[in-house]
Amino acid sequence: MNRPLQMYRMLPANLPHDVQLKADYTFSSANGDDPGARSTAHCQFSLGSNSDWSADTHDLLIRCNLSNTEVLKRLFEDRGVVANDGELLLTLEWTSADSCWRKTGQPRVLTTRNFSDDEAFPELVLHLPSGSLRGRGNVSIQLFLGQPGTGDVSPGLASLQGSRLGQLLQSVEIVIDGNGSLFPVLEESLGNDGPLWELRTSWSDPRDEAFQSDYVALILNREHELFSQLRERASEPGRQSPLMRQIVSSWIALLVHQVKSDLGPDFNSIVNHYGQSADFASIADAVAAFIRLGQLDTSSLSTLFVSTQRWFDRRLREKVSIE
């Protein structure tokens, strides 16, 4: 599809990728527990896996502190994106195909005066209300035009306040589910007669494809008569319903079996040596981590189902004993 060319200069062409601008993200909740953010890969965080925070009932505050911001001074230079006396607006933006939602935070004003002041650049904040998030989403730092400036404005610069100028730095992926799941979970309408859930795969090689809903997912049928039971809570907050635990356990077993079938003789070497961490960067990473963490028996499909269920039961007992 052909895209129209913008009539003004934008990022990232005007801001080289080697610029040493640094961003530090933190996650909290105003009305709930600590989301328990955990780095699962480069520029990827999972929320809710080790806490009682739930996106269904708790909000999320995302804060970003920028350092080494003096490198942004070049945005005001002759080949920058705004006049020297103009204003740039920096804001956090959340986008998610799973949640079908986009939202920006309160913008912060950046001018040439910021580079002469001793005060640190104010943090960027984005508030996402409870019940609005599911699956995966991306948080990015977006640049907009504030005041274009009062002097002579180059024809190559945007002049309309609010013009989108592009994205600073690589976006950060956030993995969120109503039950704090690390898994790519999607809800779709599969019909009243359709299955309650299914494993959907679209990878070409599980060693190359990311552990994301674009390539593998647990699909929940929102039209099934038992769908409401998937969201039922136990007496303690943050727990999955027994039915949901059974589904996730079966889904993992099927996923491991499918990857084993696809990789053939390479499967054992990948499990023993691939990554050697709990990172879920690729589908093969995830499967290898599941097998090692759960001590899963992959000798047959039936033993795989049994060992996966035992792993889930063991984790549940451990969580109860800690509490």
Side-chain angles (χ1 to χ4, degrees), residues 4-252:
L5 295 176
Q6 295 289 351
M7 301 303 294
Y8 48 84
R9 293 198 291 270
M10 297 180 62
L11 299 177
N14 304 93
L15 190 67
H17 291 293
D18 60 353
V19 166
Q20 298 301 307
L21 179 67
K22 300 183 184 301
D24 181 36
Y25 287 89
T26 58
F27 307 89
S28 62
S29 178
N31 63 1
D33 295 317
D34 185 337
R38 183 168 71 91
S39 177
T40 55
H42 177 62
C43 290
Q44 183 187 73
F45 294 89
S46 68
L47 304 183
S49 59
N50 295 311
S51 76
D52 288 333
W53 178 89
S54 167
D56 287 343
T57 56
H58 301 139
D59 68 336
L60 179 64
L61 280 171
I62 303 175
R63 303 177 185 274
C64 176
N65 285 295
L66 294 174
S67 58
N68 201 26
T69 55
E70 63 272 10
V71 299
L72 298 178
K73 187 175 182 180
R74 68 182 65 182
L75 298 178
F76 295 87
E77 297 172 355
D78 292 340
R79 298 304 300 171
V81 296
V82 68
N84 286 330
D85 61 344
E87 294 179 349
L88 293 175
L89 303 178
L90 274 66
T91 183
L92 293 180
E93 182 176 59
W94 164 268
T95 56
S96 172
D98 293 345
S99 301
C100 298
W101 194 42
R102 178 191 298 268
K103 183 178 181 180
T104 57
Q106 181 67 30
R108 301 295 188 183
V109 178
L110 178 67
T111 68
T112 54
R113 293 188 299 274
N114 292 98
F115 305 112
S116 58
D117 295 339
D118 294 332
E119 296 182 4
F121 188 76
E123 67 178 1
L124 304 174
V125 181
L126 176 62
H127 178 251
L128 303 173
S130 60
S132 62
L133 310 178
R134 186 167 302 283
R136 294 170 182 262
N138 290 284
V139 176
S140 61
I141 304 173
Q142 296 290 332
L143 191 70
F144 295 87
L145 177 66
Q147 296 297 331
T150 57
D152 294 334
V153 178
S154 168
L157 301 180
S159 58
L160 181 63
Q161 186 176 12
S163 298
R164 184 184 288 265
L165 301 177
Q167 175 179 318
L168 289 174
L169 301 180
Q170 181 178 349
S171 60
V172 173
E173 184 181 38
I174 311 298
V175 182
I176 299 177
D177 185 82
N179 292 318
S181 173
L182 286 175
F183 312 125
V185 181
L186 301 178
E187 297 176 4
E188 296 184 5
S189 297
L190 303 179
N192 295 328
D193 298 330
L196 176 58
W197 67 276
E198 65 178 28
L199 166 66
R200 182 174 298 172
T201 63
S202 60
W203 67 67
S204 57
D205 189 327
R207 291 165 292 193
D208 299 330
E209 312 291 12
F211 188 61
Q212 299 176 1
S213 57
D214 292 339
Y215 306 105
V216 60
L218 166 59
I219 307 298
L220 303 177
N221 182 8
R222 64 167 66 98
E223 295 185 357
H224 196 280
E225 60 180 353
L226 298 180
F227 177 76
S228 61
Q229 297 184 23
L230 301 180
R231 301 307 179 196
E232 289 180 353
R233 301 284 176 176
S235 56
E236 294 85 358
R239 295 281 184 84
Q240 291 178 330
S241 69
L243 179 58
M244 188 64 183
R245 289 199 301 271
Q246 291 289 332
I247 289 175
V248 173
S249 172
S250 299
W251 181 83
I252 289 177

Side-chain angles (χ1 to χ4, degrees), residues 263-274:
L263 295 183
D266 295 334
F267 178 74
N268 289 333
S269 61
I270 289 177
V271 171
N272 293 331
H273 304 291
Y274 199 88

